[in-house]
Amino acid sequence: MPKHYRPAGKKKEGNAARYITRSQAVKYLQVSLSVFRRLCIFKGVFPRDPKKKVKGNHHTYYHMKDILFLKHEPLLDKFREMRAYEKKVKKAVSKKNKDLAERLLTRKPTYTLDMLIRERYPKFIDALRDLDDCLTMVHLFAALPAIERENIQAERIHNCRGLSLEWQAYISRTHKLRKAFISVKGIYYQAEVEGQKVTWLTPHALQQVMPQDVDYKIMLTFLEFYETLLGFVNLRLYHSIKLKYPPILDPRLKALAADLYALTRYADAKDRAIGANDEESELRLAQLQDQLPANEPGALMHLVENVADDNEDDEETIACKTLFQNKTFFLGREVPRESLMFVITAFGGVVSWDGDGAPFDESNQDINYQIVDRPTQSHRFISRDYVQPQWVFDCINARIILPTEEYMVGKVLPPHLSPFVDNEAEGYVPEYGETIKRLQAAARKEILPMPGGEHDDLENAQNLLAEGINDRTKAKAAAEKKQKMALHEKQYHQELKKELEVMQYTPDPNIDDDVKSNVEENTDVDDDVKSNFEENTDVDDDVKSNVEENTDDVSPEQLIKDYENMAMVSMSRNKRRLYEAIKISQARKKANVETLERRKKNIQKNIRLKDGI
């Protein structure tokens, strides 16, 4: 009988009952492979990796519960209906029945993904947590060209562009942007919406190259779901700030490709209308105040103040809102307009550009900074600074207005540091990062502490000196204690060694009982017997000197290593593997830091040699 023989009629058990291959799932649902993929993407079903693969390692496995979940999906019936409709149209066209084909084309079945959004994201916070890939995909397709052979239609491109700009307009209006970083792939952004950090990537405003090894059908299926999701998120966010959705834009600005500016104007106009209504409400409440009972003074006004307090921003939002406050920027033709408009307005600045639809032109005297990326300018104004685009991104990441000398036109820019990397945790802080820290401390009117010190220590120099002396005394006492413990440990090992030697020693039978008794009573014996029983006496000076020499040879690092080895013996296997992985990660990080420091020294050495030459 085979090892895995199962009698006929016996129920499957184990992985054979819990998992099913993709081909079996397609047969079970009676759909095509493309429809099965769409269902899995829409419902969030993904392949599994069972420990024991019953059908072999070359199959893709799904959980049986997920397949049963797809079996009862109403969208599956809709796909079957659409398949039957396509067959009817094809049959009518093949029979050259134009009237029937035209009637069928007017009655094409459609479907929506609204119920799937509510099913997968029962709470709004769940949708925000899953928004990173959604925003990246929508921003990607907003920058792609329309290609018919890949079924990328122009309507979907315009829809993606509208959704992405609506999201940016909300982030800019509420000042929720926190980080921005320019990389080779594109521009990374991070915003904080309702306590959730949302990170997405936008491609550069360049001609996009369409690779041939990408399955655009699957990407378009993901995009279909993400468009619905982002539409629901934008609707909820716009209603939270009392704006109508979808927004009504100025057709003139929309025709000039100034959609983001049109959205900003739409939000500002609504704010002015809401502000006017609030003033009218406060005036009305003040007039009705005299009609309230005497024991409830100012009840309605307190109610309005409480509602206003609920909408107050946190400290970080206030810092972002006031970074570019009362600052006016003008963008040149060669810089990325949409990204700079999004970033500057999100941090409280006012922006204009060189082109049609701009709120003001280049000759405006209120302009503080002009963002350019060309070495020569036709006309320069003395009242403003001409800087490169990187200055804006470095300012918002540092939360201060950086000096513009390093970012002047034609100069080699300083390194663009990533705000997503914690330099202190990595163990290496770049030189320009130290410069930014000093500028931040100067902006806060603080004095940077010494390495290992705290900010509170700088308030009293005498306390700092006293605590430094105490720390040195404690360190010295700890070192002496450690050395004394090492000495006692060596003495203990020496005594154990002597005891083992005594156990192995056999006394000479020629020695009489009197000598033995004298030895036991610690009396004077000859030199041979005394040397045989040295373990019962005190450790002589030679042993002490040997212990001291051995103690000096042992370093604290070696003792720490011995203690770690003893602790690892008592660990379980999983904890030991985790500990080893942590050690490997720390060693790799240390090696990376050493490589960076070595490169830095080589660069500085080359600069000194070059200056000397």
Side-chain angles (χ1 to χ4, degrees):
M1 182 181 293
K3 183 178 179 181
H4 299 290
Y5 174 74
R6 181 176 59 86
K10 186 178 180 182
K11 190 176 180 181
K12 291 183 179 180
E13 297 178 355
N15 288 348
R18 282 194 292 268
Y19 297 99
I20 186 174
T21 62
R22 188 178 66 178
S23 58
Q24 289 176 337
V26 169
K27 286 183 180 180
Y28 182 76
L29 297 175
Q30 297 181 359
V31 294
S32 62
L33 182 58
S34 60
V35 174
F36 178 73
R37 283 175 176 169
R38 295 185 70 186
L39 276 175
C40 290
I41 292 172
F42 289 155
K43 296 288 288 184
V45 175
F46 51 90
R48 304 298 181 100
D49 187 19
K51 292 184 178 179
K52 183 179 179 182
K53 299 177 175 60
V54 181
K55 296 292 183 180
N57 295 330
H58 59 284
H59 285 285
T60 303
Y61 292 87
Y62 290 87
H63 207 285
M64 193 62 194
K65 288 185 178 180
D66 295 336
I67 302 302
L68 294 176
F69 188 51
L70 295 178
K71 181 182 177 181
H72 302 286
E73 172 58 36
L75 202 60
L76 182 59
D77 297 333
K78 185 65 69 174
F79 286 155
R80 289 170 178 163
E81 182 182 348
M82 294 176 65
R83 178 61 178 167
Y85 164 79
E86 291 175 358
K87 289 183 178 180
K88 289 180 181 179
V89 173
K90 186 177 181 180
K91 185 177 180 180
V93 172
S94 62
K95 288 186 176 182
K96 298 182 180 180
N97 192 347
K98 295 183 179 179
D99 296 336
L100 179 60
E102 290 177 358
R103 287 198 305 270
L104 289 173
L105 289 174
T106 58
R107 291 181 292 178
K108 183 178 181 180
T110 58
Y111 64 93
T112 59
L113 304 178
D114 299 348
M115 293 304 297
L116 286 179
I117 299 297
R118 296 179 62 87
E119 179 184 322
R120 289 183 61 177
Y121 307 105
K123 295 182 180 180
F124 182 63
I125 200 71
D126 299 329
L128 291 178
R129 289 172 183 157
D130 201 21
L131 208 59
D132 296 357
D133 294 338
C134 172
L135 287 171
T136 302
M137 182 73 75
V138 171
H139 281 83
L140 172 63
F141 273 88
L144 292 181
I147 302 176
E148 291 295 334
R149 59 182 173 83
E150 301 292 351
N151 201 20
I152 302 176
Q153 302 174 358
E155 295 179 358
R156 302 197 70 174
I157 301 300
H158 292 312
N159 186 30
C160 291
R161 178 173 170 78
L163 290 171
S164 61
L165 291 177
E166 289 166 4
W167 166 263
Q168 291 183 13
Y170 169 79
I171 297 298
S172 175
R173 175 66 190 82
T174 55
H175 309 284
K176 297 296 185 181
L177 188 64
R178 296 293 177 263
K179 297 176 182 179
F181 177 67
I182 306 173
S183 71
V184 178
K185 296 180 180 179
I187 304 177
Y188 287 90
Y189 298 104
Q190 187 178 90
E192 188 174 355
V193 181
E194 297 191 6
Q196 297 297 321
K197 293 182 179 180
V198 183
T199 308
W200 71 97
L201 172 66
T202 62
H204 293 293
L206 302 172
Q207 180 66 32
Q208 301 297 325
V209 179
M210 306 292 290
Q212 299 295 329
D213 56 346
V214 176
D215 192 350
Y216 292 98
K217 291 183 180 179
I218 295 180
M219 293 185 68
L220 289 171
T221 305
F222 276 103
L223 180 65
E224 184 179 358
F225 178 78
Y226 287 152
E227 283 178 329
T228 309
L229 173 60
L230 188 56
F232 272 93
V233 171
N234 286 345
L235 173 67
R236 176 71 176 270
L237 293 176
Y238 271 67
H239 285 179
S240 65
I241 57 175
K242 300 179 182 179
L243 289 179
K244 185 179 178 181
Y245 187 84
I248 302 172
L249 305 182
D250 188 353
R252 184 179 65 88
L253 293 174
K254 194 172 182 180
L256 295 172
D259 299 11
L260 186 58
Y261 176 62
L263 285 166
T264 306
R265 285 189 56 184
Y266 169 77
D268 293 340
K270 290 294 181 181
D271 287 343
R272 287 194 293 269
I274 293 173
N277 294 334
D278 291 342
E279 292 178 0
E280 294 178 0
S281 300
E282 291 179 2
L283 180 61
R284 179 67 175 169
L285 291 173
Q287 293 175 355
L288 294 174
Q289 186 63 41
D290 298 334
Q291 302 177 10
L292 292 174
N295 57 354
E296 296 182 1
L300 290 178
M301 298 302 292
H302 287 309
L303 180 62
V304 174
E305 291 176 358
N306 293 334
V307 173
D309 292 340
D310 293 339
N311 295 327
E312 288 185 356
D313 299 324
D314 54 356
E315 294 181 359
E316 192 170 5
T317 304
I318 294 174
C320 296
K321 186 190 300 185
T322 58
L323 179 63
F324 290 147
Q325 192 174 16
N326 301 325
K327 298 287 190 301
T328 307
F329 296 81
F330 188 84
L331 308 179
R333 291 176 297 167
E334 68 279 0
V335 299
R337 187 175 75 183
E338 286 189 357
S339 61
L340 286 172
M341 279 188 61
F342 169 53
V343 168
I344 292 172
T345 54
F347 284 83
V350 181
V351 191
S352 183
W353 62 90
D354 186 7
D356 297 332
F360 49 86
D361 55 5
E362 186 179 1
S363 61
N364 194 324
Q365 297 297 324
D366 294 333
I367 298 175
N368 304 110
Y369 302 97
Q370 185 163 345
I371 313 299
V372 294
D373 204 8
R374 288 179 294 173
T376 58
Q377 300 294 323
S378 59
H379 184 271
R380 283 180 174 267
F381 293 88
I382 304 176
S383 60
R384 68 186 67 167
D385 293 330
Y386 290 82
V387 294
Q388 300 185 48
Q390 183 183 326
W391 177 81
V392 177
F393 292 91
D394 288 347
C395 286
I396 67 174
N397 291 330
R399 297 289 191 275
I400 58 171
I401 303 295
L402 295 174
T404 58
E405 288 78 9
E406 298 291 334
Y407 300 88
M408 290 294 183
V409 180
K411 281 195 172 184
V412 178
L413 292 171
H416 183 47
L417 304 180
S418 173
F420 299 96
V421 177
D422 189 357
N423 294 322
E424 294 181 355
E426 293 294 329
Y428 177 77
V429 181
E431 184 178 356
Y432 192 63
E434 296 286 353
T435 303
I436 291 178
K437 277 187 176 182
R438 290 193 291 269
L439 292 173
Q440 290 173 343
R444 293 190 298 265
K445 297 182 180 178
E446 295 179 355
I447 302 176
L448 288 176
M450 294 185 297
E454 300 292 339
H455 289 277
D456 297 336
D457 297 336
L458 296 172
E459 297 178 359
N460 194 338
Q462 295 180 355
N463 293 339
L464 180 63
L465 181 60
E467 290 182 5
I469 295 173
N470 292 334
D471 291 340
R472 180 178 294 179
T473 304
K474 290 179 181 179
K476 187 176 181 180
E480 292 178 354
K481 184 178 179 181
K482 186 181 295 183
Q483 187 175 3
K484 189 179 295 184
M485 290 176 63
L487 178 62
H488 289 312
E489 185 178 359
K490 290 298 179 181
Q491 289 180 354
Y492 177 71
H493 288 309
Q494 292 288 341
E495 291 175 359
L496 286 178
K497 185 177 179 181
K498 296 294 184 182
E499 290 179 2
L500 290 175
E501 292 178 357
V502 171
M503 293 175 64
Q504 296 175 359
Y505 172 74
T506 56
D508 190 355
N510 295 326
I511 302 177
D512 56 357
D513 296 336
D514 296 333
V515 176
K516 291 183 180 178
S517 62
N518 292 333
V519 172
E520 291 176 357
E521 294 172 359
N522 295 326
T523 58
D524 296 335
V525 293
D526 57 355
D527 296 337
D528 296 334
V529 177
K530 188 175 182 179
S531 61
N532 291 330
F533 290 95
E534 281 180 353
E535 68 278 2
N536 292 329
T537 61
D538 296 333
V539 180
D540 57 357
D541 297 336
D542 295 335
V543 175
K544 288 184 179 180
S545 61
N546 292 332
V547 170
E548 291 178 356
E549 291 177 358
N550 294 330
T551 305
D552 295 336
D553 295 339
V554 179
S555 62
E557 291 79 5
Q558 183 65 30
L559 292 175
I560 294 173
K561 188 176 180 179
D562 294 340
Y563 291 148
E564 289 180 354
N565 294 333
M566 294 175 62
M568 287 185 65
V569 172
S570 61
M571 287 183 182
S572 62
R573 182 180 298 177
N574 293 334
K575 290 184 178 180
R576 191 182 301 115
R577 289 177 179 175
L578 180 61
Y579 181 75
E580 291 174 356
I582 292 173
K583 286 294 184 182
I584 292 172
S585 176
Q586 291 177 352
R588 189 182 296 115
K589 187 183 297 183
K590 184 178 180 181
N592 189 21
V593 170
E594 291 176 354
T595 303
L596 293 174
E597 290 178 350
R598 186 168 59 254
R599 289 178 181 175
K600 181 179 177 181
K601 291 180 180 178
N602 292 335
I603 292 173
Q604 293 177 351
K605 182 179 179 181
N606 293 334
I607 292 174
R608 286 195 298 268
L609 291 175
K610 186 176 180 181
D611 294 340
I613 292 172

